[in-house]
Each structure stands twice: as C-alpha cells, then as structure tokens.
Amino acid sequence: MPYQSTLEARLARKATRAIKTFDLIEDGDRVMVGLSGGKDSWALMSLLDALRRRAPVRFSLVAVNVDSGYTDYRHDVISRTCEARNWEYRIEHTSIGDIMDDVLDADATPCSLCARLRRGVLYRLASEVGATKIALGHHADDFVETLLLNLFFAGSLKAMPARLLSDDRRHVVIRPLVYVSEDEARAYTRERGLEVIGCCCPVCGDLSLKRQRIKRWLLDLEREHPGIKQSMLRALGNVAPRHLLDTRLNPTAELRAEVGGAVPARAGMAAL
C-alpha cells in the first residue's frame, strides 16, 4: 500500500530511522500513543498507523488522551476522529487542572508539574491497557529547545532520550519523531485533515514562558543560519565526554594515569 503523499513518505523514513537507531518498536509491541489533540500527537498517531500497515514487525496501537478537566477542552474531537479512522482509543478524565490551581503559587510556572502529573497517569494507563511502549510526540525542535533550556536555566547539559526506561523499570517511553521537525509535524497534521485542539490550560502559549522565548530565539537564529537546529540535534548524538568538565566522565584518577601517574599542578591545589 503506497503512502498517502510525498510528505508522509518522507516522515515515515525519518521515523523508521529513529525506530531502527534507538530500537523503539519491536515485534509484538502494543504501543500506547499519548494523544493530546495537538499537532504533534496527531502527527505521531497518524504516522505510526501508516507505518504499522507496512512494517516488517507486527505491532498494535492504542491512543490515550488525558483530559486535565478544563471546561472547554474538546475531548469529543478526539473520540470522533479516532472512531472515524478506526483507531483504538481511551479518554481518561482527570482533575489535574484543579490540582494545579491548588498547589501552585500565583507566579509559578505550572508546566513541569503538569507534565509530571500527566506522566503518572500515562504510566498507570499503560499498565491498564497492556501497553509495552508509551509513545510521545516530541519532535526535533523539542529536543533542541530542551537542550538549551537545561543549558541556560538549569546548569545541566542534557535534553531528552529517544528511548527512556522509567525509574521503576516498568515502562518504556519512546519518541519516534526525534528526526521530524515541528514544521513537518504541523504540515502533516494539516494534510491528514486532523483537527488540532488546545489543551485549554490558561498559560498555554504564554510568550513569557522560557520555552517560548527559546523557541523565538531559535527561529531568529534559523533565519540567519539555516540548518542550525539540525546541527544542534546532531550534536546530541556526537558527544565528546573528555572535552567536558564533569568529573564523573573524566575521573581524576584517569587523568593522573594519562600523565604517567604524576599529579598535575592544579590537581595538587585541591589539598590546600
């Protein structure tokens, strides 16, 4: 069965590359897709469905939507679309929105707490639906933005893994869109006629948020230097640990061994 379009074929190649590189989907997997109704999660669900029909390995899909409980959230669009396309789905109604209002200070940024709460719900639902993998719609831009957010504001050199084993080792989170840009995800969602819905969070899209500032800054950089985001994405897979300052990567004992057992002059200063 041919792909629906040239765009779908291109994104399928990128997703397949990610799946093979990071061993994201294996034969017999039941993949639970976190479907928020945003462009990225719609693109992921539609693309995985296209791949499922052609993949040499057998896997199934189930879409799961976590409704945070905001009054105007259009979860009916989720159910109507999934039913029209014969996608198995489940909608979980929660009170995350109320929890956010109760525990956060008026000037606090809720995004990280909301993400943790939603992740907890997804982990529970993965067990209930028998999922072996949890697929999230993070794309290439998300990886680069997270790298810069951690670098500038958290003092940490990290982004997101394409494949993550949960702390309790019970769940595997995968991100098959790691090589797909945000613009490509947006174009594909539009091409497939998928209706994008907002999460109805009161701070969603707030231009004062750090991620939005990073996004705008990267947009300007990309205009001046086309391909800079791709270069940053490649850098995440081209790490030179010996050229960093983390002593966990470069233990002092190993540094001493490299100079024949002699302690470098600056190392001796630690004893002062």
Side-chain angles (χ1 to χ4, degrees), residues 32-98:
M32 187 184 87
V33 178
L35 186 61
S36 67
K39 65 183 187 313
D40 308 327
S41 62
W42 277 132
L44 176 62
M45 185 66 194
S46 185
L47 191 58
L48 287 181
D49 186 49
L51 286 173
R52 179 184 62 81
R53 302 171 188 273
R54 301 164 178 80
V57 297
R58 176 185 54 83
F59 67 93
S60 61
L61 296 172
V62 54
V64 167
N65 171 261
V66 179
D67 174 10
S68 296
Y70 295 114
T71 304
D72 297 326
Y73 183 66
R74 296 289 310 281
H75 51 75
D76 60 300
V77 173
I78 301 288
S79 56
R80 184 171 65 248
T81 303
C82 288
E83 289 169 4
R85 302 190 182 220
N86 294 316
W87 292 341
E88 183 182 351
Y89 74 97
R90 173 170 170 175
I91 296 177
E92 185 73 5
H93 300 285
T94 74
S95 56
I96 289 177
D98 292 335

Side-chain angles (χ1 to χ4, degrees), residues 79-129:
S79 56
R80 184 171 65 248
T81 303
C82 288
E83 289 169 4
R85 302 190 182 220
N86 294 316
W87 292 341
E88 183 182 351
Y89 74 97
R90 173 170 170 175
I91 296 177
E92 185 73 5
H93 300 285
T94 74
S95 56
I96 289 177
D98 292 335
I99 295 173
M100 302 295 295
D101 292 338
D102 291 340
V103 303
L104 279 178
D105 296 330
D107 58 347
T109 300
C111 302
S112 59
L113 174 58
C114 180
R116 291 197 299 272
L117 293 173
R118 294 171 68 87
R119 184 67 59 86
V121 175
L122 286 176
Y123 283 168
R124 172 174 61 80
L125 293 176
S127 298
E128 292 180 9
V129 303

Side-chain angles (χ1 to χ4, degrees), residues 27-251:
D27 190 54
D29 269 341
R30 178 164 169 77
V31 180
M32 187 184 87
V33 178
L35 186 61
S36 67
K39 65 183 187 313
D40 308 327
S41 62
W42 277 132
L44 176 62
M45 185 66 194
S46 185
L47 191 58
L48 287 181
D49 186 49
L51 286 173
R52 179 184 62 81
R53 302 171 188 273
R54 301 164 178 80
V57 297
R58 176 185 54 83
F59 67 93
S60 61
L61 296 172
V62 54
V64 167
N65 171 261
V66 179
D67 174 10
S68 296
Y70 295 114
T71 304
D72 297 326
Y73 183 66
R74 296 289 310 281
H75 51 75
D76 60 300
V77 173
I78 301 288
S79 56
R80 184 171 65 248
T81 303
C82 288
E83 289 169 4
R85 302 190 182 220
N86 294 316
W87 292 341
E88 183 182 351
Y89 74 97
R90 173 170 170 175
I91 296 177
E92 185 73 5
H93 300 285
T94 74
S95 56
I96 289 177
D98 292 335
I99 295 173
M100 302 295 295
D101 292 338
D102 291 340
V103 303
L104 279 178
D105 296 330
D107 58 347
T109 300
C111 302
S112 59
L113 174 58
C114 180
R116 291 197 299 272
L117 293 173
R118 294 171 68 87
R119 184 67 59 86
V121 175
L122 286 176
Y123 283 168
R124 172 174 61 80
L125 293 176
S127 298
E128 292 180 9
V129 303
T132 56
K133 303 284 173 61
I134 302 171
L136 303 179
H138 296 114
H139 46 63
D141 294 63
D142 289 321
F143 279 75
V144 172
E145 291 163 13
T146 302
L147 171 67
L148 294 180
L149 282 168
N150 284 314
L151 180 65
F152 293 155
F153 302 112
S156 179
L157 194 58
K158 67 178 182 179
M160 296 183 289
R163 175 179 172 131
L164 171 70
L165 182 64
S166 64
D167 291 341
D168 62 7
R169 309 186 72 81
R170 295 176 56 195
H171 305 287
V172 178
V173 177
I174 62 174
R175 299 179 172 97
L177 300 185
V178 56
Y179 297 128
V180 174
S181 72
E182 182 174 16
D183 287 342
E184 288 175 321
R186 181 183 294 108
Y188 181 56
T189 298
R190 186 183 304 117
E191 178 182 270
R192 297 297 295 130
L194 296 161
E195 182 179 351
V196 174
I197 58 175
C199 66
C200 294
C201 171
V203 301
C204 185
D206 186 344
L207 296 181
S208 68
L209 295 179
K210 292 174 182 177
R211 183 173 289 274
Q212 293 298 325
R213 296 175 66 187
I214 290 291
K215 189 182 290 289
R216 297 198 306 275
W217 182 62
L218 280 171
L219 184 62
D220 291 339
L221 275 178
E222 188 70 24
R223 289 194 185 109
E224 294 180 28
H225 307 283
I228 196 169
K229 288 191 289 187
Q230 277 300 310
S231 179
M232 295 176 69
L233 187 67
R234 287 196 300 272
L236 288 174
N238 187 27
V239 180
R242 294 180 62 196
H243 294 264
L244 299 175
L245 301 180
D246 193 330
T247 55
R248 293 169 298 182
L249 302 175
N250 299 299

Side-chain angles (χ1 to χ4, degrees), residues 242 247 250-271:
R242 294 180 62 196
T247 55
N250 299 299
T252 304
E254 292 183 10
L255 293 176
R256 289 171 178 162
E258 289 181 4
V259 293
V263 179
R266 290 186 179 180
M269 295 293 289

